[in-house]
């Protein structure tokens, strides 16, 4: 044998190769088996009953142990281990999660808190039992399919016969091998109503509802299928000007994680807070205290933008059907669950009918046996066969009306009837029993023939018995998109080196520009007529000779840039006005054309479209006669930044001087209120509130009687009990009818708002005082409907002109009593016509100095006074 030759023959070598291949194949099989096991037996719920295996085994154990009393969770876990091939920790965790959903399990002891994230006490300290709902809906042993447990010693259900869309009510989440599931919880009552609608052939829509409440936007829910998304927000309200209260939290968070996210955002400078108080107990209450001068409205938006107060959840409807994972939406889940419930109800009715028929059959046999004294026929029989035959022979003449033949088993049961019962047999009671059974049989058959109506009645009864207290918790609302750059706190400072062309936050030795945040964009203009928008950074090169730097606001149509420039070397001078609403970041734009050597002669940025007057001075050249004239930017139309502009002169310009600051050339801004998202906008969505200048205000009134007149800002938030939102007209009175709790009478008051900066209450402090009606018309009218007195006819309704009823008084005045009679209701009628007083046109007045002199007055007197004032040394002199 050669030295390198293998001692094994070719046959043995091939066997070794086959062995290696077989191990690889086994590895593949093992991994597939493991993946299948995780998917089917651990992570993903079955569509038939909505349970994962561990949950199903827990429910089966609870039913097995049920005696109406609470059981220690440790005992339940121990009993479940007979069916579940895993440790006690996984069973205990699954049981606690089931208990916290508050649907199937009645809990006792410290089961943790889903609001704060606190865990449950140890299994030996807490107790559980099945809820009445679970006992009625989840179990029905006669129609349950059974299988052997993992060790073959006991039987467990393949699926529990759940007659309710439990999977959608509880929700489910799990990560398997290669796939996951995330089914969100839905409202108990809405699921029942949707099932009824499906049975009636009507359409329905399902949206999530979370035990932590909060506000949800389901615009992109897409029926809970893959690719869908919902946005969830905490409910944040303004307690006072320096305090915000979080009363509901988003699903998937708790108060601890929420507070941590707020503190991190504060540390990063995204928001600015003073301190946080967590007063959460049975309900969420987190108080966020703000430093003075910080806007509560902007802080609310910043909390949504930078903290866990808003998050997105992506549902994924994956369930097990016929031992395979399938992906379906929640509507299809509900349809299948409802139809499965109908099948289960049908199976129960069929078993019930069979049992009733058996009861009727034996009750009829028993009556025949006793009434016809057939038991006497067996007195002389000596063998068991003889007894059976004697009874069978005695029954035959009377069994023609029975629904099925008499069997030996039936006869055996007859022989087991005691003599005591035969002696006390009451024929009438026996007939009543048979009649009652016949009624129940007829009723059961009717249910089977009208199965859909029976199922609808079943669902309606479930809602009637268990639906109270399970109203929707999460409010569905369409969210507005919050631009982070508009609400972030300006936590750093921006500097510029104009000559060298650098901007950034690290240039602390150079010129300070403004406060900014690290997510802001900045807009920069250079003397060469170039413009760039770039992200805030520590140091960025733009171009030499920077003339203007500011924080850039995207889609800003009100900031107007006024520009006068010379086109190229020796070229003409042009004037232009433009907005910058959208750009490509870090791209250099030319505002003066393509010719080299262009130069900016005058530039201004105007946040409200102001148009100033400038003086143009030319260089002396040749025979130019007019070297100086004024130029008003108001005469120039606002166009795009690429427009060339209007020509000013072809001659060389010496300099341009500002002569007069201008007023805004923009129209008052139209503002709308979008009730869907509860926000103001300038995009034409919702109800038009009016045209607003920088001095105009809103009038806001709430059901609690709070009145305020803020300057409108698009970041404003509005309270849920707001009843009036309109443009405030200072001279228009507000009329209120309210119930005064201490006097126990209705009062009327009319008032003007004297301090628009102050938020005030128009009601008295008594706890039983409430606002009945509010009027913002000039001449409001109310109708009083009186209550009927016993033994008397109802008094005729009274129409009251409220303008005539009471004069305008202070906002704190109590007002006048409306009536001493008992009032049934107060209605609002159409207001009386009103004509606004004519205002004198400005041309009818002569203005001298600061005095206004009517046309019929002596103008010389006014002139003398004005001249006297002009000699005051403190007055500025204008040239």
């Amino acid at each position: 044998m050669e030295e390198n030759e293998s001692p094994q023959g070719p046959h043995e070598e091939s066997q070794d190769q086959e062995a290696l291949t077989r191990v690889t194949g086994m590895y593949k099989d093992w991994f597939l088996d493991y993946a299948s096991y995780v998917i089917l037996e651990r992570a993903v719920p079955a569509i038939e009953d909505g349970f994962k295996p561990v949950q199903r085994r827990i429910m089966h154990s609870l039913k097995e142990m049920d005696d109406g009393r609470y059981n220690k969770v440790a005992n339940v876990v121990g009993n479940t281990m007979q069916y579940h091939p895993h440790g006690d920790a996984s069973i205990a965790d699954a049981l606690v999660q089931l208990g916290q959903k508050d649907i199937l399990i009645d809990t006792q002891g410290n089961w943790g808190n889903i609001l704060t994230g606190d865990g449950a006490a140890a299994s030996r300290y807490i107790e559980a039992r099945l809820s009445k709902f679970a006992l009625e809906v989840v179990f029905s042993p006669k129609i349950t399919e059974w299988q052997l447990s993992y060790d073959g010693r006991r039987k467990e259900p393949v699926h529990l016969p759940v007659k309710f869309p439990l999977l959608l009510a509880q929700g489910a989440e799990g990560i398997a091998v290669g796939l996951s599931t995330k089914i969100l919880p839905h409202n108990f009552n809405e699921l029942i109503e949707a099932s009824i609608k499906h049975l009636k052939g009507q359409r329905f829509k399902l949206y999530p509802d979370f035990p932590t409440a909060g506000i949800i936007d389901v615009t992109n829910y897409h029926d809970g299928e893959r690719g869908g998304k919902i946005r969830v927000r905490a409910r944040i309200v303004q307690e006072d000007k320096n305090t915000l209260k979080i009363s509901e939290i988003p699903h998937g968070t708790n108060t601890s994680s929420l507070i941590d996210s707020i503190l991190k955002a504060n540390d990063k400078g995204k928001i600015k807070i003073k301190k946080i108080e967590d007063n959460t107990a049975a309900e969420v209450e987190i108080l966020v205290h703000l430093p003075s001068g910080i806007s509560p409205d902007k802080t609310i938006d910043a909390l949504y933008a930078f903290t866990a107060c808003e998050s997105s959840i992506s549902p994924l409807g994956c369930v097990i059907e016929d031992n395979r994972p399938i992906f379906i939406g929640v509507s299809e889940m509900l349809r299948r669950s409802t139809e499965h419930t109908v099948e289960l109800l049908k199976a129960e009715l069929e078993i019930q009918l069979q049992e009733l028929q058996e009861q009727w059959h034996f009750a009829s046999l028993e009556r025949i046996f006793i009434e016809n004294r057939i038991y006497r026929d067996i007195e002389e029989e000596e063998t068991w066969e003889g007894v059976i035959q004697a009874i069978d022979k005695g029954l035959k003449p009377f069994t023609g009306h029975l629904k099925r033949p008499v069997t030996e088993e039936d006869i055996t049961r007859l022989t087991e009837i005691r003599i005591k019962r035969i002696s006390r047999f009451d024929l009438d009671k026996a007939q009543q029993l048979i009649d009652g059974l016949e009624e129940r049989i007829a009723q059961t058959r009717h249910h089977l023939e009208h199965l859909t109506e029976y199922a609808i009645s079943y669902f309606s009864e479930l809602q009637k018995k268990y639906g109270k207290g399970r109203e929707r918790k999460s409010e569905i609302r369409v969210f507005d998109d919050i631009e982070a750059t508009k609400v972030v706190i300006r936590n750093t400072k921006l500097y510029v080196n104009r000559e060298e062309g650098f901007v950034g936050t690290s240039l602390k030795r150079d010129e300070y520009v403004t406060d900014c945040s690290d997510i802001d964009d900045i807009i920069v203009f250079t003397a060469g007529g170039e413009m760039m928008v770039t992200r805030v950074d520590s140091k960025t090169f733009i171009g030499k000779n920077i003339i203007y730097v500011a924080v850039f606001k995207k889609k800003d149509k009100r900031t107007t840039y006024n520009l006068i420039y010379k086109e190229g070397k020796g070229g003409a001078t042009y004037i232009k006005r433009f907005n910058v609403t959208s750009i490509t970041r870090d791209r250099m734009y030319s505002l003066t054309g393509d010719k080299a050597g262009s130069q900016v002669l005058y530039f201004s940025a105007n946040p409200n479209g102001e148009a100033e007057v400038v003086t143009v001075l030319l260089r002396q050249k040749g025979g130019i006669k007019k070297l100086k004239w004024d130029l008003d930017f108001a005469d120039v139309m606002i166009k795009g930044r690429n427009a060339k502009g209007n020509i000013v002169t072809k001659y060389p310009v010496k300099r341009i001087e500002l002569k007069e600051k201008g007023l805004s050339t923009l129209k008052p801004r139209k503002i709308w209120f979008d009730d869907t998202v509860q926000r103001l906008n300038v995009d034409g969505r919702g109800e038009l509130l009016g045209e607003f200048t920088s001095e105009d205000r809103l009038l806001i009134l709430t059901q609690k009687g709070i009145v305020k007149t803020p300057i409108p800002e698009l970041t404003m938030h509005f309270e849920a009990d707001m009843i009036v939102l309109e443009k405030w007209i200072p001279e228009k009175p507000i009329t209120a009818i309210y119930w005064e709790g201490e006097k126990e009478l209705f009062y009327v008051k009319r008032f003007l708002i004297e301090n628009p900066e102050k938020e005030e209450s128009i009601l008295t402090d008594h706890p039983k005082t409430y606002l009945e009606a509010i009027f913002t018309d000039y001449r409001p009218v109310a109708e009083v409907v009186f209550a009927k007195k016993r033994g008397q006819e109802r008094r005729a309704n009274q129409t009251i002109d409220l303008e005539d009823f009471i004069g305008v008084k202070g906002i704190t005045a109590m007002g006048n009593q409306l009536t001493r009679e008992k009032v049934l209701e107060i209605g609002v009628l159409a207001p009386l016509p009103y004509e606004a007083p004519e205002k004198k046109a400005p041309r009818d007045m002569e203005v001298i100095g600061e005095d206004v002199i009517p046309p019929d007055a002596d103008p010389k007197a006014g002139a003398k006074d004005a001249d006297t004032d002009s000699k005051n040394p403190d007055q500025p002199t204008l040239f």
Side-chain angles (χ1 to χ4, degrees):
M1 185 172 62
E2 295 291 330
E3 187 178 16
N4 296 330
E5 187 178 340
S6 172
Q8 298 173 330
H11 180 68
E12 292 176 330
E13 187 176 354
S14 65
Q15 281 187 332
D16 286 349
Q17 289 176 350
E18 286 178 8
L20 289 172
T21 303
R22 188 159 58 250
V23 169
T24 307
M26 288 171 67
Y27 170 79
K28 289 179 180 178
D29 291 342
W30 289 342
F31 182 78
L32 287 174
D33 289 343
Y34 167 73
S36 300
Y37 174 77
V38 172
I39 292 169
L40 300 177
E41 294 295 324
R42 287 172 63 179
V44 185
I47 194 170
E48 286 84 359
D49 57 7
F51 288 121
K52 296 179 183 180
V54 65
Q55 296 172 331
R56 187 179 301 114
R57 288 161 182 156
I58 289 170
M59 295 300 294
H60 175 59
S61 286
L62 281 167
K63 176 62 175 172
E64 208 172 37
M65 301 171 69
D66 182 57
D67 58 1
R69 296 181 296 173
Y70 287 98
N71 292 288
K72 288 282 187 183
V73 165
N75 291 339
V76 178
V77 171
N79 194 72
T80 307
M81 289 182 71
Q82 297 178 93
Y83 304 100
H84 195 61
H86 293 286
D88 58 337
S90 62
I91 300 172
D93 289 344
L95 180 52
V96 168
Q97 288 179 20
L98 275 176
Q100 288 178 340
K101 294 180 190 296
D102 194 28
I103 297 177
L104 300 177
I105 299 175
D106 285 343
T107 60
Q108 186 165 273
N110 178 14
W111 280 68
N113 190 331
I114 60 172
L115 300 178
T116 62
D118 295 331
S123 298
R124 60 187 177 274
Y125 299 125
I126 57 178
E127 297 177 321
R129 68 181 178 190
L130 290 171
S131 67
K132 292 180 180 178
F133 174 77
L135 289 168
E136 181 172 343
V137 166
V138 176
F139 303 100
S140 185
K142 293 174 183 177
I143 60 171
T144 302
E145 183 184 352
W146 302 90
Q147 64 183 2
L148 290 174
S149 60
Y150 72 97
D151 60 2
R153 288 188 172 93
R154 304 178 73 87
K155 286 188 177 181
E156 63 174 335
V158 177
H159 297 113
L160 287 168
V162 178
K163 302 182 289 295
F164 179 78
L166 192 62
L167 177 58
L168 294 175
Q170 293 191 132
E173 189 170 351
I175 300 173
V177 179
L179 58 81
S180 64
T181 184
K182 195 180 187 74
I183 300 165
L184 303 181
H186 293 71
N187 182 261
F188 182 92
N189 290 311
E190 291 176 8
L191 288 172
I192 290 178
E193 290 162 5
S195 293
I196 292 173
K197 284 183 178 178
H198 173 62
L199 291 171
K200 290 181 177 179
Q202 300 172 354
R203 293 183 179 181
F204 60 88
K205 277 283 186 183
L206 288 174
Y207 298 115
D209 185 28
F210 301 117
T212 55
I215 310 167
I216 62 174
D217 184 344
V218 297
T219 306
N220 298 314
Y221 185 45
H222 295 166
D223 205 39
E225 295 182 348
R226 282 188 292 185
K229 183 182 76 170
I230 69 166
R231 295 163 66 189
V232 290
R233 281 183 179 176
R235 187 177 297 280
I236 310 174
V237 296
Q238 183 180 342
E239 285 281 276
D240 54 53
K241 64 179 182 180
N242 291 325
T243 310
L244 302 176
K245 183 173 83 170
I246 302 174
S247 56
E248 297 173 10
I249 59 176
H251 178 67
T253 65
N254 54 59
T255 54
S256 300
S257 62
L258 195 69
I259 290 172
D260 287 345
S261 73
I262 294 173
L263 293 175
K264 285 179 182 177
N266 181 66
D267 293 341
K268 291 179 180 178
K270 305 293 186 185
I271 60 174
K272 203 167 189 178
I273 62 171
K274 192 175 180 181
K275 66 174 181 175
I276 296 181
E277 287 182 59
D278 187 4
N279 301 327
T280 302
E283 296 180 352
V284 173
E285 184 180 302
I286 301 172
L287 298 180
V288 181
H289 297 277
L290 307 179
S292 57
I294 298 295
S295 166
D297 287 322
K298 281 191 176 181
T299 304
I300 291 174
D301 282 349
L303 288 171
Y304 289 143
F306 302 116
T307 74
C309 289
E310 178 179 334
S311 61
S312 294
I313 301 174
S314 298
L316 180 59
C318 178
V319 293
I320 300 299
E321 183 183 52
D322 296 333
N323 285 326
R324 289 179 177 273
I326 60 170
F327 296 90
I328 56 175
V330 296
S331 297
E332 183 60 24
M333 288 184 203
L334 183 113
R335 281 190 282 269
R336 295 194 187 194
S337 171
T338 305
E339 289 161 6
H340 184 59
T341 299
V342 173
E343 291 173 5
L344 294 174
L345 291 172
K346 181 182 179 182
E348 286 184 341
L349 287 171
E350 287 174 343
I351 290 173
Q352 182 182 336
L353 178 62
Q354 186 179 355
E355 290 175 347
L356 288 171
Q357 287 174 336
E358 285 299 308
Q359 291 175 32
W360 179 88
H361 178 79
F362 186 74
S364 299
L365 274 181
E366 185 181 57
R367 179 185 172 182
I368 294 168
F369 182 71
I370 298 173
E371 183 183 5
N372 296 286
R373 300 185 180 184
I374 297 172
Y375 53 85
R376 290 184 175 179
D377 296 346
I378 64 174
E379 292 175 356
E380 297 179 1
E381 297 294 335
E382 295 180 356
T383 63
W384 177 250
E385 290 79 6
V387 169
I388 297 298
Q389 290 175 5
I391 294 174
D392 186 34
K393 183 178 178 182
L395 291 174
K396 277 185 179 178
F398 308 102
T399 57
H401 67 291
L402 298 181
K403 303 294 188 295
R404 68 171 177 82
V406 178
T407 63
E408 186 175 336
E409 186 181 348
D410 295 332
I411 297 172
T412 303
R413 284 185 66 188
L414 290 173
T415 63
E416 294 170 357
I417 300 174
R418 294 185 178 184
I419 299 296
K420 188 176 181 180
R421 184 173 175 186
I422 293 174
S423 63
R424 293 184 177 181
F425 186 76
D426 188 326
L427 190 61
D428 292 335
K429 285 186 177 180
Q431 188 58 46
Q432 287 176 9
L433 174 62
I434 292 171
D435 292 343
L437 288 170
E438 287 177 350
E439 287 179 9
R440 291 176 64 190
I441 289 169
Q443 184 184 44
T444 306
R445 282 180 171 157
H446 179 270
H447 291 332
L448 281 167
E449 291 168 1
H450 302 84
L451 198 55
T452 301
E453 290 81 355
Y454 176 73
I456 291 171
S457 176
Y458 167 80
F459 278 115
S460 299
E461 191 63 26
L462 276 185
Q463 187 173 22
K464 185 178 177 182
K465 289 170 68 175
Y466 305 107
K468 190 176 180 182
R470 297 186 182 273
E471 292 76 19
R472 168 168 281 279
K473 292 184 177 181
S474 299
E475 179 188 350
I476 297 175
R477 189 192 297 173
V478 178
F479 293 168
D480 56 317
D481 292 322
I482 297 172
E483 292 186 32
T485 54
K486 290 185 178 180
V487 297
V488 68
I489 295 295
R490 309 298 184 202
N491 58 350
T492 187
K493 298 182 184 298
L494 182 68
Y495 301 90
V496 60
N497 185 322
R498 295 182 184 273
E499 188 176 344
E500 295 183 7
F502 288 97
V503 293
T505 57
S506 64
L507 309 175
K508 296 184 179 180
R509 295 184 179 181
D510 293 307
E511 178 188 343
Y512 165 75
V513 178
T514 184
D515 287 352
C516 64
S517 74
D518 52 7
I519 64 170
D520 276 334
D521 288 327
I522 55 172
I523 187 167
V524 188
F525 293 85
T526 68
E530 293 180 318
M531 177 197 78
M532 179 189 285
V533 173
T534 186
R535 182 78 77 186
V536 167
D537 206 343
S538 58
K539 186 176 181 180
T540 305
F541 178 73
I542 304 296
K544 292 189 176 182
N545 299 318
I546 293 173
I547 58 173
Y548 179 78
V549 184
V551 174
F552 177 64
K553 299 175 183 177
K554 194 175 181 181
K555 299 180 182 178
D556 181 9
K557 296 181 180 179
R558 295 192 72 81
T559 300
T560 304
Y561 301 99
N562 296 340
L563 175 67
I564 300 175
Y565 69 93
K566 182 183 71 172
E567 185 186 29
K569 292 182 179 180
T573 300
Y574 290 86
I575 183 171
K576 63 190 287 187
R577 301 182 75 200
F578 59 95
N579 306 121
V580 180
T581 55
S582 61
I583 44 79
T584 301
R585 190 184 288 123
D586 297 325
R587 175 182 169 186
M588 189 66 80
Y589 291 88
S590 175
L591 305 172
T592 58
D594 299 330
K595 292 185 179 180
S598 296
Q599 183 182 359
V600 174
L601 303 177
Y602 178 88
F603 177 87
S604 68
N606 306 280
N608 205 32
E610 292 84 356
E612 61 269 35
V613 178
V614 296
T615 300
V616 181
L617 294 94
L618 301 183
R619 296 184 183 277
Q620 182 67 49
K621 185 177 181 181
I624 303 175
K625 295 181 180 179
K626 191 174 182 180
L627 297 176
K628 178 181 177 182
W629 71 93
D630 293 340
L631 198 61
D632 192 347
F633 273 97
D635 299 330
V636 181
M637 291 182 63
I638 299 174
K639 297 183 179 180
R641 64 170 181 268
N642 293 324
K644 192 170 188 177
N646 301 340
I647 191 166
V648 177
T649 178
K650 295 180 181 179
Y651 299 106
V653 175
K654 184 178 181 182
R655 66 177 182 274
I656 296 175
E657 299 175 348
L658 174 65
K659 180 178 180 181
E660 181 182 324
K661 289 185 177 181
L663 300 174
S664 174
T665 58
L666 303 180
K667 293 180 180 179
R669 188 166 59 163
K670 289 184 178 181
I671 295 181
W672 286 263
F673 177 69
D674 188 347
D675 186 58
T676 307
V677 298
Q678 294 280 298
R679 297 299 283 265
L680 300 177
N681 68 87
V682 292
D683 305 322
R685 292 180 281 107
E687 177 187 356
L688 178 64
L689 299 178
E691 296 184 347
F692 290 76
T693 66
S694 58
E695 298 178 355
D696 289 326
R697 292 175 177 264
L698 291 170
L699 171 64
I700 299 175
L701 277 157
T702 70
Q703 189 63 54
K704 296 175 185 175
I706 303 298
V707 59
K708 49 188 175 182
T709 52
I711 294 173
E713 295 181 8
L714 301 187
T715 56
M716 287 179 68
H717 287 256
F718 298 92
E719 296 178 22
D721 66 341
M722 179 179 67
I723 54 176
V724 172
L725 175 63
E726 59 183 50
K727 185 178 179 180
W728 178 50
I729 302 174
E731 62 273 11
K732 185 169 69 169
I734 299 168
T735 309
I737 300 177
Y738 68 98
W739 175 263
E740 211 294 310
E742 184 177 356
K743 306 286 186 182
E744 295 189 340
L745 291 169
F746 282 107
Y747 278 76
V748 182
K749 63 188 293 183
R750 275 169 67 79
F751 59 90
L752 293 172
I753 297 173
E754 298 170 355
N755 188 355
E757 299 291 342
K758 188 178 179 183
E759 182 178 300
E760 296 183 87
S761 174
I762 64 173
L763 304 179
T764 60
D765 295 333
H766 195 277
K768 292 186 178 179
T769 298
Y770 64 88
L771 184 64
E772 176 68 22
I774 197 82
F775 305 81
T776 57
D777 302 300
Y778 283 98
R779 303 182 64 193
V781 180
E783 181 183 42
V784 181
V785 181
F786 296 97
K788 186 179 182 297
K789 293 182 179 179
R790 184 176 295 178
Q792 298 180 17
E793 291 187 3
R794 188 191 301 274
R795 182 178 168 183
N797 296 352
Q798 182 180 357
T799 301
I800 301 177
D801 178 354
L802 295 172
E803 181 191 30
D804 184 58
F805 185 81
I806 184 173
V808 176
K809 300 180 180 180
I811 194 170
T812 57
M814 180 175 283
N816 296 349
Q817 290 180 13
L818 180 66
T819 178
R820 284 194 167 273
E821 299 291 329
K822 191 172 182 180
V823 175
L824 184 64
E825 62 176 318
I826 297 172
V828 178
L829 301 182
L832 297 173
Y834 171 79
E835 291 185 8
E838 291 186 11
K839 293 182 179 180
K840 285 198 172 185
R843 67 175 183 274
D844 294 337
M845 304 179 185
E846 183 180 356
V847 180
I848 301 178
E850 295 181 353
D851 298 320
V852 179
I853 304 173
D856 54 351
D858 183 4
K860 293 181 181 180
K864 183 177 180 181
D865 293 340
D867 186 56
T868 303
D869 291 340
S870 68
K871 294 178 183 177
N872 188 337
D874 294 332
Q875 287 286 98
T877 304
L878 299 178
F879 295 91

